[in-house]
Amino acid sequence: MLPMMKTALVVEDDPTIRLVLKTNLENDGHRVLEAETAEAALVTVQDDMPDIVLVDLRLPGIHGFDLVRSLRASSEVPIIIVTANTDSHDVVAGLEAGADDYVTKPFVTKELMARIRRQLRRPVTETDMPSGSILTCGPLELHQDTCEVRRDGVKIPVSRIEFDVLQALMGAQGRVLSRDYLLRTVWGYSNAGDGRVVDNLIYRLRGKIESDPSRPDLLLTIRGFGYRMKA
Amino acid sequence: MKSLGLRWRVTITFAILSLSVAAIVSGSTYAVASLYLSSQRTDAAITRASLDARAVAASLRAGAAPGESLAQLPVVDGSQPMLRIGEQWFTSTVAVPPDLLPASLLDEGARTGAQQRVEIAGEPYLIIAMPLDTSLFVEVFPLRTLDATLTFGGWGLVAVTVLAGALGAFLGWYVARRLLVPVDQLGAGALALAEGHLDARLPDAGDPDLDPIAHAFNEMAEAVQARIAREQRFAANVSHELRSPMTAISGVTDLLEERTPDMAPQDAKIVDHLARQVRRLSRMLVDLLEISRMGANEHIETEPVDVRALAAQVVRAQGLSDDIVIGPPAVVSTDGRHLERVFDNIARNAQSHGEGLRAVSVADQGPAVAVHFDDAGPGVDPELAERIFEPFVRGEAADPTSGAGLGMAIVLEHAQAIAAMVSVGTSPLGGARVTVLIPRADPS
């Protein structure tokens, strides 16, 4: 089966890096939109909503954080930060602004492409999921065939990666999943990664599924080990 | 031996000083008082004895019997008059038997009159002897009351002296404490600064003698903080300015490398060399930036970390089976990201320079957990083992294109951030053994 063509938006002020990202994405069969600034990116997404956004944090004009924040405010589009700034405060700020993953420059092309592919996965179809199977945890239902999450029957909008994390945790039926395990299986990391990527996504997910996100009773933290769903 | 602290020295000096002053005053007071009281008592006794002797002489001359003349004498303060006529003793009471009196005193008393302080049966007495015509008059005065008074007064003075010493010690301790408060604050401030709290400042004490010290310290802290901030900005800019072109170069090179199948063999070879050198440069840049970033206010976030699970994760990331990780699970409280960088760099080093990682063993060592990484290489020359943590130091056998020799320097930087210790030795399996000792408790 041919992979479905997707649209990627590359927001990067360095023309060579833009060329590299564009070429690699096109080699993978995707359409690529380019923007040199956050302002241009915001205009582009109004006309043509991409399926994934790659954002450099240090942009002329509006900062990458603000772009991520405003994209996240209106959509669940996967956002990967591609940054030369490895300062841990910047990474955390980017994740908190709503990014799903980050890659530091200089990146290994193969690794970055693997992460992009993981974020762009086609919606789950009957071929790779048992049809109609529903995972439940308390008031929470996860419909594996339609990629829907419901709480007390009300549909909750979740991003692809949020769905995948929730599916992994609910499928584990109360067992603890380590952050490393989630990074490898959900995010597509081949090397050890930064657990804060997981922590941040869990934080966002709790905001959607928990009645009181500051005192979660469905998605529990096992300090130092990982996360698990209430059994 | 470590010399005593200033606080103790001041306290002890004060104590010794006040103790000596008090001892001198008390000692002289006691000496003067006892001398005065003794001479008073002696004078009174001599007067008494002379009067009694005259009365006895008059009574004997009037024809009274010796016992009779003694009995008529008034008894004052337990005094005991005695009379020796020829070899025979007469006495009104028998509190002190005459045969216990010292013979020398009696001889001298019979000639010229004498007095002496004597202990009889453990009691102090003043004995006065004087010639009375052909006989000898002796009067014994108990000194018990006087001695008791003096002893009591003496102990009182000792108590006062000890009290004065204690008071001096307390005063010294208090003064030293007050004086050392700003020194303590200075020390705490310097320590906070050294620990990376660059905003540590000393409060104004409002004291013209002390404020200059606080001001000098604060100015220094200000300068250090500004300098570190400047260096951090510089490092961040260098990092960013180098990373961006490096990304561009390696990205373009990767694209070029993908096209080698379509190239002439000679061109493909050139691109292959380019790609290898670019990867090497890129790796070195990342490692160097990682080292330069460390130490500069690196954020530490502790959480429970299972050392064994982390080791297994790192081993798997190297494409090895985690069966080579042995030992019990061991949970420590540390920053997992730093520990992961330590393990990852050691494992990678073993893979690229040590002919492969052979075994990772976790051992509980009480307050610390030890993790040994054993490789299959020829081992590390003991001379090199000490220098291996310096940047750009590699084993002689190392392939010059395999790395810049920064791996172990990165290991050391990350280990220091979490107070872990790293050492290189020889593995029981024959190769090199890198041991990481991780404290169980928080590194802070």
Side-chain angles (χ1 to χ4, degrees):
Chain A
M1 193 194 288
L2 278 171
M4 202 187 287
M5 186 166 89
K6 298 275 186 169
T7 303
L9 171 60
V10 175
V11 190
E12 166 67 64
D13 60 334
D14 186 312
T16 315
I17 298 173
R18 223 164 48 230
L19 173 75
V20 167
L21 293 173
K22 181 177 152 74
T23 311
N24 278 300
L25 284 161
E26 284 175 351
N27 286 351
D28 255 23
H30 305 303
R31 190 163 72 100
V32 179
L33 305 171
E34 297 172 69
E36 278 185 58
T37 61
E39 290 86 338
L42 287 169
V43 172
T44 307
V45 296
Q46 278 185 336
D47 302 337
D48 197 348
M49 196 61 203
D51 299 301
I52 187 166
V53 184
L54 305 183
V55 182
D56 179 17
L57 280 184
R58 204 188 275 197
L59 292 166
I62 298 180
H63 196 273
F65 294 149
D66 299 310
L67 175 61
V68 171
R69 204 170 291 120
S70 60
L71 285 173
R72 181 57 72 229
S74 59
S75 117
E76 303 286 353
V77 63
I79 302 171
I80 300 182
I81 288 172
V82 182
T83 178
N85 206 339
T86 53
D87 195 332
S88 61
H89 299 289
D90 272 27
V91 167
V92 170
L95 291 171
E96 282 173 359
D100 297 291
D101 198 357
Y102 79 94
V103 179
T104 54
K105 294 175 182 176
F107 50 79
V108 177
T109 307
K110 279 182 193 152
E111 176 73 17
L112 174 60
M113 293 314 291
R115 307 254 201 101
I116 292 173
R117 262 173 231 135
R118 196 54 77 108
Q119 295 279 352
L120 279 177
R121 255 169 314 181
R122 289 165 296 118
V124 189
T125 58
E126 290 172 28
T127 49
D128 43 27
M129 266 304 155
S131 121
S133 84
I134 295 172
L135 301 172
T136 57
C137 173
L140 218 58
E141 285 176 5
L142 187 132
H143 298 253
Q144 303 195 96
D145 49 353
T146 56
C147 277
E148 272 180 6
V149 176
R150 289 176 182 275
R151 188 189 160 100
D152 298 321
V154 182
K155 192 180 168 192
I156 297 171
V158 291
S159 72
R160 176 68 221 207
I161 202 97
E162 287 165 354
F163 179 86
D164 288 351
V165 168
L166 207 51
Q167 188 179 34
L169 285 166
M170 287 172 78
Q173 291 169 324
R175 274 183 295 118
V176 183
L177 299 186
S178 73
R179 289 179 288 190
D180 178 58
Y181 173 83
L182 289 169
L183 280 176
R184 281 184 290 117
T185 56
V186 178
W187 274 266
Y189 278 48
S190 52
N191 285 312
D194 184 346
R196 289 173 303 184
V197 170
V198 180
D199 298 343
N200 193 67
L201 190 108
I202 295 285
Y203 176 79
R204 251 158 60 196
L205 202 46
R206 277 179 182 153
K208 296 182 176 183
I209 63 167
E210 297 280 358
S211 49
D212 180 1
S214 60
R215 267 177 298 162
D217 63 356
L218 294 173
L219 209 175
L220 310 171
T221 304
I222 310 302
R223 243 175 74 79
F225 295 93
Y227 296 98
R228 69 177 182 85
M229 295 304 285
K230 198 178 77 172
Chain B
M1 198 182 85
K2 205 175 151 196
S3 67
L4 286 171
L6 183 61
R7 191 170 312 203
W8 274 106
R9 293 207 304 267
V10 170
T11 305
I12 290 171
T13 307
F14 266 71
I16 290 176
L17 218 66
S18 59
L19 201 66
S20 345
V21 169
I24 289 168
V25 170
S26 303
S28 38
T29 303
Y30 181 81
V32 169
S34 75
L35 208 66
Y36 176 75
L37 288 176
S38 301
S39 71
Q40 281 278 86
R41 184 79 178 99
T42 311
D43 288 353
I46 288 170
T47 310
R48 176 84 252 147
S50 311
L51 285 174
D52 287 350
R54 225 173 291 162
V56 169
S59 162
L60 287 175
R61 254 181 249 121
E68 216 175 308
S69 2
L70 287 175
Q72 74 181 6
L73 293 176
V75 175
V76 181
D77 293 339
S79 64
Q80 180 189 352
M82 290 183 245
L83 197 59
R84 188 178 72 181
I85 299 171
E87 285 302 309
Q88 193 179 359
W89 280 97
F90 301 91
T91 175
S92 54
T93 61
V94 286
V96 177
D99 49 328
L100 286 181
L101 297 174
S104 58
L105 172 76
L106 298 180
D107 291 345
E108 203 185 338
R111 287 197 303 276
T112 59
Q115 51 170 302
Q116 194 181 342
R117 208 192 129 95
V118 173
E119 293 262 339
I120 294 168
E123 295 282 335
Y125 292 98
L126 178 65
I127 299 165
I128 294 169
M130 55 183 72
L132 199 68
D133 299 332
T134 55
S135 53
L136 176 68
F137 179 78
V138 175
E139 187 149 10
V140 177
F141 297 91
L143 290 178
R144 192 188 189 167
T145 323
L146 175 71
D147 273 22
T149 308
L150 281 175
T151 307
F152 182 76
W155 279 116
L157 286 169
V158 167
V160 166
T161 306
V162 169
L163 206 66
L167 207 67
F170 174 76
L171 205 67
W173 174 79
Y174 182 75
V175 166
R177 210 184 61 144
R178 285 296 301 271
L179 281 176
L180 285 174
V181 163
V183 178
D184 285 346
Q185 280 177 347
L186 191 67
L191 195 66
L193 203 64
E195 281 173 350
H197 303 285
L198 297 176
D199 49 355
R201 297 290 182 273
L202 293 185
D204 242 358
D207 182 324
D209 291 328
L210 301 176
D211 282 351
I213 300 174
H215 288 161
F217 176 85
N218 288 347
E219 260 171 50
M220 181 198 73
E222 204 80 52
V224 167
Q225 189 176 25
R227 197 195 171 108
I228 287 178
R230 205 163 55 235
E231 277 172 5
Q232 274 174 347
R233 271 198 308 278
F234 177 74
N237 283 330
V238 166
S239 170
H240 186 267
E241 294 312 320
L242 290 178
R243 280 174 194 276
S244 291
M246 192 68 245
T247 309
I249 292 168
S250 67
V252 169
T253 309
D254 285 348
L255 288 174
L256 207 54
E257 207 181 11
E258 280 176 28
R259 284 162 172 69
T260 48
D262 306 332
M263 291 179 185
Q266 193 60 30
D267 295 344
K269 197 176 166 192
I270 291 170
V271 171
D272 182 51
H273 275 268
L274 174 70
R276 258 191 289 160
Q277 294 294 342
V278 165
R279 269 196 289 275
R280 182 182 167 198
L281 178 62
S282 181
R283 170 94 245 152
M284 197 190 305
L285 178 76
V286 169
D287 286 353
L288 268 179
L289 292 177
E290 187 171 353
I291 293 176
S292 74
R293 197 181 69 220
M294 291 296 306
N297 238 358
E298 193 52 28
H299 190 55
I300 300 289
E301 242 175 77
T302 60
E303 58 175 3
V305 174
D306 183 348
V307 172
R308 189 188 193 283
L310 186 65
Q313 174 190 320
V314 166
V315 166
R316 278 195 305 270
Q318 289 300 320
L320 299 167
S321 159
D322 58 19
D323 291 348
I324 64 168
V325 181
I326 52 170
V331 176
V332 300
S333 179
T334 191
D335 187 316
R337 285 185 308 126
H338 286 295
L339 192 58
E340 192 271 328
R341 300 298 295 135
V342 170
F343 284 5
D344 182 58
N345 278 284
I346 294 172
R348 266 195 295 148
N349 215 55
Q351 286 290 90
S352 53
H353 303 309
E355 292 171 29
L357 188 60
R358 181 85 71 82
V360 179
S361 42
V362 179
D364 190 333
Q365 300 198 342
V369 173
V371 186
H372 308 291
F373 291 81
D374 297 323
D375 70 27
V380 174
D381 182 356
E383 268 178 49
L384 188 64
E386 290 182 10
R387 297 197 304 124
I388 202 161
F389 296 105
E390 291 172 25
F392 303 109
V393 171
R394 292 181 295 203
E396 272 180 21
D399 171 6
T401 60
S402 65
L406 293 170
M408 294 307 276
I410 294 176
V411 165
L412 189 63
E413 290 288 342
H414 284 286
Q416 281 172 346
I418 54 171
M421 307 223 290
V422 190
S423 57
V424 175
T426 303
S427 156
L429 304 174
R433 159 172 278 194
V434 181
T435 299
V436 186
L437 213 57
I438 311 140
R440 267 185 193 283
D442 282 22
S444 55

